[in-house]
């Protein structure tokens, strides 16, 4: 029956999320997210959750994935979110990016890149959205966003509401986070 197939698919996704959770670097600070990609816990920006607590949220069906906390909470990880080709052009205007951990929602031209920022620079980095002045096929502005304190970036294989799931471009198993 269709309901049985849906239940089986949900169970497979939950198992996949929990298995992938165990393969992420243990020092990464994570927060559970719902199907809208947003964290739902009140203190998500400041709390430290054990992986087992996130797994429990996934098993219960409340969490549809997890996001990486950026900034000082995660020992200086900066996520650069390029939404569209114009954002990538802005990002690489001064040269190609070094190999680093990267992931995508699967939407064309969308990718996030992780970088490690030296502690001496933490106080000067701020979350910033740069508008490229170009609209994408969806009518939205193509932005280049620097995600720091107070932000999170949803990691693979979390659920994405339009593409199904996030996917690795360069997983933390295959490459270090570049400085």
């Amino acid at each position: 029956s269709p309901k049985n197939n849906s239940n089986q698919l949900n169970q497979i996704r939950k198992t996949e999320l929990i298995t992938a959770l165990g393969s992420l670097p243990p020092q990464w600070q994570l927060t559970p997210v719902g199907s809208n990609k947003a964290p739902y816990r009140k203190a998500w920006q400041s709390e430290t959750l054990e992986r087992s607590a996130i797994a429990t949220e996934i098993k219960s069906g409340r969490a549809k994935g997890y996001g990486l906390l950026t900034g000082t909470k995660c020992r200086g990880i900066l996520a650069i979110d390029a939404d569209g080709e114009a954002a990538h052009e802005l990002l690489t205007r001064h040269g190609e990016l070094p190999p680093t951990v990267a992931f995508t929602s699967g939407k064309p031209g969308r990718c996030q890149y992780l970088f490690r920022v030296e502690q001496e620079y933490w106080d000067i980095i701020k979350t910033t959205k740069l508008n490229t002045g170009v609209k994408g096929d969806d009518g939205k502005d193509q932005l280049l966003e620097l995600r720091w304190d107070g932000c999170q970036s949803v990691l693979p294989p979390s659920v994405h509401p339009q593409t199904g799931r996030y996917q690795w471009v360069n997983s933390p198993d295959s490459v270090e986070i570049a400085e």
Side-chain angles (χ1 to χ4, degrees):
S1 79
K3 185 172 181 168
N4 247 1
N5 288 341
S6 177
N7 287 342
Q8 286 177 322
L9 182 61
N10 282 336
Q11 194 55 46
I12 290 168
R13 283 197 170 160
K14 288 177 184 179
T15 301
E16 182 183 34
L17 276 166
I18 292 167
T19 300
L21 182 63
S23 70
L24 294 173
Q27 68 274 22
W28 284 11
Q29 296 298 312
L30 306 174
T31 187
V33 298
S35 57
N36 62 351
K37 309 183 294 184
Y40 53 79
R41 296 174 62 90
K42 283 194 191 308
W44 72 268
Q45 294 171 322
S46 60
E47 72 182 349
T48 300
L49 279 180
E50 296 291 326
R51 301 290 165 97
S52 59
I54 296 171
T56 298
E57 295 281 313
I58 293 167
K59 286 176 191 168
S60 76
R62 186 165 186 204
K64 303 301 182 195
Y66 30 81
L68 171 70
L69 275 65
T70 55
T72 55
K73 182 76 176 161
C74 207
R75 297 188 185 122
I77 294 179
L78 171 70
I80 299 180
D81 186 5
D83 279 345
E85 292 305 319
H88 280 94
E89 287 171 22
L90 180 59
L91 181 58
T92 58
R93 185 174 288 164
H94 299 290
E96 290 299 311
L97 297 177
T100 192
V101 174
F103 47 95
T104 180
S105 64
K107 292 173 103 178
R110 306 282 177 104
C111 193
Q112 286 195 52
Y113 305 90
L114 300 183
F115 291 94
R116 187 163 308 286
V117 176
E118 297 280 336
Q119 190 167 359
E120 64 188 281
Y121 302 111
W122 289 6
D123 290 342
I124 60 172
I125 300 224
K126 301 281 182 256
T127 296
T128 307
K129 291 184 182 186
L130 304 169
N131 195 325
T132 64
V134 175
K135 296 224 182 272
D137 293 342
D138 58 4
K140 294 181 181 176
D141 292 331
Q142 292 189 15
L143 302 175
L144 181 63
E145 182 180 3
L146 307 179
R147 293 180 168 196
W148 191 245
D149 285 342
C151 295
Q152 59 86 25
S153 288
V154 181
L155 295 173
S158 298
V159 171
H160 186 278
Q162 294 165 326
T163 63
R165 73 173 65 191
Y166 286 84
Q167 338 169 25
W168 292 111
V169 174
N170 295 321
S171 77
D173 293 342
S174 66
V175 68
E176 294 286 318
I177 297 176
E179 285 193 21

Short mmCIF file of all heavy atoms in Angstrom, two decimals, residues 33-78:
data_model
loop_
_atom_site.label_atom_id
_atom_site.label_comp_id
_atom_site.label_asym_id
_atom_site.label_seq_id
_atom_site.Cartn_x
_atom_site.Cartn_y
_atom_site.Cartn_z
N VAL A 33 16.94 20.31 12.62
CA VAL A 33 16.11 21.22 11.81
C VAL A 33 14.86 20.47 11.36
O VAL A 33 14.87 19.26 11.22
CB VAL A 33 16.87 21.80 10.59
CG1 VAL A 33 18.06 22.64 11.04
CG2 VAL A 33 17.32 20.69 9.64
N GLY A 34 13.81 21.25 11.10
CA GLY A 34 12.57 20.69 10.59
C GLY A 34 12.57 20.64 9.07
O GLY A 34 13.58 20.93 8.42
N SER A 35 11.43 20.31 8.48
CA SER A 35 11.35 20.16 7.03
C SER A 35 11.49 21.49 6.29
O SER A 35 11.73 21.51 5.10
CB SER A 35 10.03 19.48 6.65
OG SER A 35 8.95 20.22 7.15
N ASN A 36 11.39 22.61 7.02
CA ASN A 36 11.56 23.93 6.40
C ASN A 36 13.00 24.43 6.48
O ASN A 36 13.27 25.60 6.22
CB ASN A 36 10.62 24.94 7.06
CG ASN A 36 10.93 25.13 8.53
OD1 ASN A 36 11.74 24.40 9.12
ND2 ASN A 36 10.32 26.11 9.15
N LYS A 37 13.94 23.58 6.88
CA LYS A 37 15.37 23.86 6.99
C LYS A 37 15.72 24.71 8.20
O LYS A 37 16.87 25.09 8.37
CB LYS A 37 15.93 24.54 5.73
CG LYS A 37 15.60 23.85 4.42
CD LYS A 37 16.26 24.54 3.26
CE LYS A 37 15.71 25.92 3.03
NZ LYS A 37 16.25 26.60 1.86
N ALA A 38 14.75 25.04 9.03
CA ALA A 38 15.00 25.93 10.16
C ALA A 38 15.14 25.16 11.47
O ALA A 38 14.43 24.17 11.69
CB ALA A 38 13.88 26.95 10.28
N PRO A 39 16.01 25.62 12.36
CA PRO A 39 16.08 25.03 13.70
C PRO A 39 14.79 25.32 14.45
O PRO A 39 14.17 26.36 14.23
CB PRO A 39 17.24 25.77 14.37
CG PRO A 39 17.93 26.54 13.31
CD PRO A 39 16.98 26.69 12.18
N TYR A 40 14.38 24.43 15.32
CA TYR A 40 13.12 24.63 16.04
C TYR A 40 13.31 24.67 17.55
O TYR A 40 12.38 24.96 18.27
CB TYR A 40 12.10 23.56 15.67
CG TYR A 40 12.60 22.15 15.82
CD1 TYR A 40 12.66 21.53 17.06
CD2 TYR A 40 13.03 21.44 14.71
CE1 TYR A 40 13.13 20.25 17.20
CE2 TYR A 40 13.50 20.15 14.83
CZ TYR A 40 13.55 19.56 16.08
OH TYR A 40 14.02 18.29 16.20
N ARG A 41 14.51 24.44 18.03
CA ARG A 41 14.75 24.49 19.47
C ARG A 41 15.01 25.94 19.87
O ARG A 41 15.74 26.65 19.19
CB ARG A 41 15.92 23.59 19.84
CG ARG A 41 15.61 22.11 19.55
CD ARG A 41 16.82 21.24 19.77
NE ARG A 41 17.27 21.27 21.15
CZ ARG A 41 16.85 20.45 22.11
NH1 ARG A 41 15.94 19.53 21.84
NH2 ARG A 41 17.32 20.54 23.33
N LYS A 42 14.44 26.36 21.00
CA LYS A 42 14.53 27.77 21.42
C LYS A 42 15.97 28.24 21.59
O LYS A 42 16.31 29.33 21.17
CB LYS A 42 13.76 27.99 22.72
CG LYS A 42 12.26 28.05 22.55
CD LYS A 42 11.61 28.61 23.80
CE LYS A 42 10.11 28.48 23.82
NZ LYS A 42 9.37 28.95 22.71
N ALA A 43 16.81 27.46 22.19
CA ALA A 43 18.18 27.88 22.49
C ALA A 43 19.20 27.33 21.50
O ALA A 43 20.37 27.17 21.82
CB ALA A 43 18.54 27.47 23.91
N TRP A 44 18.77 27.07 20.27
CA TRP A 44 19.63 26.38 19.31
C TRP A 44 20.96 27.09 19.07
O TRP A 44 21.97 26.46 18.80
CB TRP A 44 18.90 26.12 18.00
CG TRP A 44 18.67 27.34 17.15
CD1 TRP A 44 17.56 28.14 17.17
CD2 TRP A 44 19.54 27.89 16.17
NE1 TRP A 44 17.68 29.15 16.26
CE2 TRP A 44 18.90 29.04 15.62
CE3 TRP A 44 20.79 27.55 15.67
CZ2 TRP A 44 19.46 29.82 14.63
CZ3 TRP A 44 21.36 28.33 14.68
CH2 TRP A 44 20.70 29.45 14.18
N GLN A 45 20.99 28.42 19.17
CA GLN A 45 22.21 29.16 18.88
C GLN A 45 23.27 29.02 19.97
O GLN A 45 24.44 29.26 19.71
CB GLN A 45 21.90 30.63 18.64
CG GLN A 45 21.07 30.85 17.40
CD GLN A 45 20.56 32.27 17.26
OE1 GLN A 45 20.20 32.90 18.24
NE2 GLN A 45 20.54 32.76 16.04
N SER A 46 22.84 28.62 21.15
CA SER A 46 23.80 28.56 22.26
C SER A 46 23.96 27.17 22.88
O SER A 46 24.94 26.92 23.57
CB SER A 46 23.40 29.56 23.35
OG SER A 46 22.11 29.25 23.84
N GLU A 47 23.01 26.28 22.64
CA GLU A 47 23.10 24.97 23.29
C GLU A 47 24.09 24.05 22.59
O GLU A 47 24.39 24.21 21.42
CB GLU A 47 21.72 24.32 23.38
CG GLU A 47 21.18 23.82 22.06
CD GLU A 47 19.78 23.23 22.19
OE1 GLU A 47 19.31 23.01 23.32
OE2 GLU A 47 19.17 22.99 21.15
N THR A 48 24.59 23.11 23.36
CA THR A 48 25.45 22.07 22.83
C THR A 48 24.71 20.75 22.99
O THR A 48 24.41 20.35 24.12
CB THR A 48 26.79 22.02 23.58
OG1 THR A 48 27.43 23.28 23.44
CG2 THR A 48 27.68 20.92 23.04
N LEU A 49 24.36 20.13 21.87
CA LEU A 49 23.60 18.87 21.91
C LEU A 49 24.50 17.69 21.61
O LEU A 49 25.33 17.75 20.70
CB LEU A 49 22.50 18.90 20.85
CG LEU A 49 21.22 19.63 21.16
CD1 LEU A 49 20.26 19.53 19.99
CD2 LEU A 49 20.56 19.09 22.41
N GLU A 50 24.30 16.64 22.36
CA GLU A 50 24.96 15.37 22.07
C GLU A 50 24.35 14.80 20.78
O GLU A 50 23.17 15.03 20.49
CB GLU A 50 24.77 14.38 23.22
CG GLU A 50 25.38 14.81 24.52
CD GLU A 50 26.90 14.80 24.48
OE1 GLU A 50 27.48 13.93 23.80
OE2 GLU A 50 27.50 15.68 25.14
N ARG A 51 25.14 14.03 20.06
CA ARG A 51 24.63 13.41 18.83
C ARG A 51 23.45 12.49 19.13
O ARG A 51 22.53 12.37 18.33
CB ARG A 51 25.75 12.63 18.11
CG ARG A 51 26.95 13.49 17.72
CD ARG A 51 26.60 14.45 16.61
NE ARG A 51 27.58 15.50 16.44
CZ ARG A 51 28.55 15.50 15.56
NH1 ARG A 51 28.70 14.49 14.74
NH2 ARG A 51 29.38 16.53 15.48
N SER A 52 23.49 11.85 20.30
CA SER A 52 22.39 10.94 20.67
C SER A 52 21.07 11.71 20.81
O SER A 52 20.01 11.18 20.47
CB SER A 52 22.72 10.19 21.96
OG SER A 52 22.93 11.11 23.02
N ALA A 53 21.11 12.95 21.30
CA ALA A 53 19.89 13.75 21.42
C ALA A 53 19.34 14.11 20.04
O ALA A 53 18.13 14.12 19.82
CB ALA A 53 20.17 15.02 22.23
N ILE A 54 20.24 14.39 19.10
CA ILE A 54 19.80 14.70 17.73
C ILE A 54 19.22 13.44 17.09
O ILE A 54 18.18 13.49 16.43
CB ILE A 54 20.96 15.29 16.90
CG1 ILE A 54 21.38 16.64 17.51
CG2 ILE A 54 20.55 15.45 15.44
CD1 ILE A 54 22.64 17.23 16.92
N ALA A 55 19.85 12.31 17.32
CA ALA A 55 19.33 11.03 16.79
C ALA A 55 17.93 10.75 17.34
O ALA A 55 17.05 10.30 16.59
CB ALA A 55 20.28 9.89 17.13
N THR A 56 17.70 11.06 18.61
CA THR A 56 16.38 10.87 19.21
C THR A 56 15.35 11.76 18.52
O THR A 56 14.22 11.33 18.26
CB THR A 56 16.42 11.17 20.73
OG1 THR A 56 17.33 10.24 21.34
CG2 THR A 56 15.05 11.04 21.37
N GLU A 57 15.74 13.01 18.21
CA GLU A 57 14.84 13.93 17.50
C GLU A 57 14.50 13.39 16.10
O GLU A 57 13.38 13.53 15.63
CB GLU A 57 15.48 15.32 17.38
CG GLU A 57 15.69 16.03 18.70
CD GLU A 57 14.43 16.67 19.23
OE1 GLU A 57 13.72 17.35 18.47
OE2 GLU A 57 14.15 16.48 20.42
N ILE A 58 15.47 12.79 15.45
CA ILE A 58 15.25 12.20 14.11
C ILE A 58 14.31 11.00 14.22
O ILE A 58 13.35 10.89 13.46
CB ILE A 58 16.59 11.80 13.45
CG1 ILE A 58 17.42 13.06 13.15
CG2 ILE A 58 16.35 10.98 12.18
CD1 ILE A 58 18.87 12.78 12.80
N LYS A 59 14.58 10.12 15.18
CA LYS A 59 13.74 8.93 15.37
C LYS A 59 12.29 9.31 15.64
O LYS A 59 11.38 8.64 15.18
CB LYS A 59 14.28 8.07 16.52
CG LYS A 59 15.52 7.31 16.19
CD LYS A 59 16.03 6.56 17.41
CE LYS A 59 17.42 6.02 17.17
NZ LYS A 59 18.05 5.54 18.41
N SER A 60 12.10 10.39 16.40
CA SER A 60 10.73 10.82 16.75
C SER A 60 10.00 11.41 15.54
O SER A 60 8.78 11.56 15.56
CB SER A 60 10.78 11.88 17.85
OG SER A 60 11.17 13.14 17.33
N GLY A 61 10.76 11.75 14.49
CA GLY A 61 10.15 12.34 13.30
C GLY A 61 10.12 13.86 13.34
O GLY A 61 9.77 14.50 12.35
N ARG A 62 10.48 14.44 14.48
CA ARG A 62 10.46 15.91 14.57
C ARG A 62 11.57 16.53 13.72
O ARG A 62 11.34 17.49 13.01
CB ARG A 62 10.61 16.32 16.04
CG ARG A 62 10.44 17.81 16.22
CD ARG A 62 10.22 18.19 17.64
NE ARG A 62 9.94 19.62 17.70
CZ ARG A 62 10.12 20.37 18.74
NH1 ARG A 62 10.56 19.83 19.85
NH2 ARG A 62 9.85 21.65 18.71
N ALA A 63 12.78 15.98 13.81
CA ALA A 63 13.91 16.50 13.03
C ALA A 63 13.93 15.83 11.66
O ALA A 63 13.78 14.62 11.55
CB ALA A 63 15.23 16.25 13.75
N LYS A 64 14.12 16.63 10.64
CA LYS A 64 14.25 16.13 9.27
C LYS A 64 15.69 16.25 8.79
O LYS A 64 16.00 16.02 7.63
CB LYS A 64 13.34 16.92 8.32
CG LYS A 64 11.88 16.92 8.72
CD LYS A 64 11.29 15.53 8.79
CE LYS A 64 9.82 15.60 9.14
NZ LYS A 64 9.28 14.33 9.55
N GLY A 65 16.55 16.64 9.71
CA GLY A 65 17.97 16.79 9.41
C GLY A 65 18.64 17.59 10.50
O GLY A 65 18.10 17.76 11.59
N TYR A 66 19.84 18.12 10.17
CA TYR A 66 20.61 18.87 11.15
C TYR A 66 21.45 19.91 10.44
O TYR A 66 21.84 19.75 9.28
CB TYR A 66 21.51 17.95 11.99
CG TYR A 66 21.97 16.72 11.26
CD1 TYR A 66 23.05 16.76 10.37
CD2 TYR A 66 21.32 15.51 11.44
CE1 TYR A 66 23.46 15.62 9.70
CE2 TYR A 66 21.72 14.36 10.77
CZ TYR A 66 22.80 14.42 9.91
OH TYR A 66 23.20 13.30 9.24
N GLY A 67 21.68 20.99 11.17
CA GLY A 67 22.49 22.08 10.66
C GLY A 67 23.74 22.25 11.48
O GLY A 67 23.75 22.00 12.69
N LEU A 68 24.79 22.70 10.82
CA LEU A 68 26.07 23.00 11.45
C LEU A 68 26.03 24.44 11.95
O LEU A 68 25.76 25.36 11.17
CB LEU A 68 27.20 22.84 10.43
CG LEU A 68 28.59 23.33 10.85
CD1 LEU A 68 29.16 22.43 11.93
CD2 LEU A 68 29.51 23.36 9.64
N LEU A 69 26.27 24.64 13.26
CA LEU A 69 26.36 25.99 13.79
C LEU A 69 27.67 26.59 13.30
O LEU A 69 28.71 25.93 13.32
CB LEU A 69 26.33 25.98 15.32
CG LEU A 69 24.94 25.98 15.94
CD1 LEU A 69 24.18 24.72 15.63
CD2 LEU A 69 25.03 26.19 17.42
N THR A 70 27.61 27.83 12.84
CA THR A 70 28.79 28.48 12.29
C THR A 70 29.33 29.50 13.28
O THR A 70 28.66 29.87 14.24
CB THR A 70 28.46 29.15 10.94
OG1 THR A 70 27.36 30.04 11.13
CG2 THR A 70 28.11 28.12 9.89
N GLY A 71 30.54 29.96 13.02
CA GLY A 71 31.14 31.00 13.83
C GLY A 71 31.91 30.49 15.03
O GLY A 71 32.46 29.39 15.01
N THR A 72 31.91 31.29 16.08
CA THR A 72 32.72 30.97 17.26
C THR A 72 32.23 29.70 17.96
O THR A 72 33.02 28.98 18.55
CB THR A 72 32.71 32.15 18.25
OG1 THR A 72 31.36 32.49 18.57
CG2 THR A 72 33.39 33.37 17.66
N LYS A 73 30.92 29.41 17.88
CA LYS A 73 30.35 28.21 18.51
C LYS A 73 30.96 26.94 17.93
O LYS A 73 31.05 25.92 18.59
CB LYS A 73 28.82 28.22 18.31
CG LYS A 73 28.11 27.07 18.97
CD LYS A 73 28.00 27.23 20.45
CE LYS A 73 27.19 26.09 21.04
NZ LYS A 73 27.37 25.92 22.43
N CYS A 74 31.40 27.02 16.68
CA CYS A 74 31.96 25.84 16.01
C CYS A 74 33.46 26.03 15.74
O CYS A 74 33.97 25.62 14.69
CB CYS A 74 31.19 25.53 14.72
SG CYS A 74 31.26 23.79 14.28
N ARG A 75 34.12 26.74 16.66
CA ARG A 75 35.58 26.93 16.60
C ARG A 75 36.04 27.59 15.29
O ARG A 75 37.02 27.17 14.69
CB ARG A 75 36.31 25.62 16.81
CG ARG A 75 36.07 25.02 18.17
CD ARG A 75 36.97 23.82 18.39
NE ARG A 75 36.65 23.20 19.66
CZ ARG A 75 36.27 21.94 19.78
NH1 ARG A 75 36.18 21.18 18.74
NH2 ARG A 75 36.00 21.46 20.96
N GLY A 76 35.27 28.58 14.85
CA GLY A 76 35.72 29.39 13.73
C GLY A 76 35.40 28.86 12.35
O GLY A 76 36.13 29.14 11.39
N ILE A 77 34.30 28.13 12.20
CA ILE A 77 33.90 27.69 10.86
C ILE A 77 32.98 28.74 10.24
O ILE A 77 31.96 29.11 10.82
CB ILE A 77 33.21 26.31 10.88
CG1 ILE A 77 34.21 25.24 11.31
CG2 ILE A 77 32.64 25.98 9.50
CD1 ILE A 77 33.63 23.84 11.39
N LEU A 78 33.37 29.21 9.08
CA LEU A 78 32.59 30.16 8.29
C LEU A 78 31.99 29.41 7.12
O LEU A 78 32.69 28.68 6.42
CB LEU A 78 33.51 31.28 7.76
CG LEU A 78 32.91 32.25 6.74
CD1 LEU A 78 31.89 33.16 7.41
CD2 LEU A 78 34.01 33.07 6.09
#
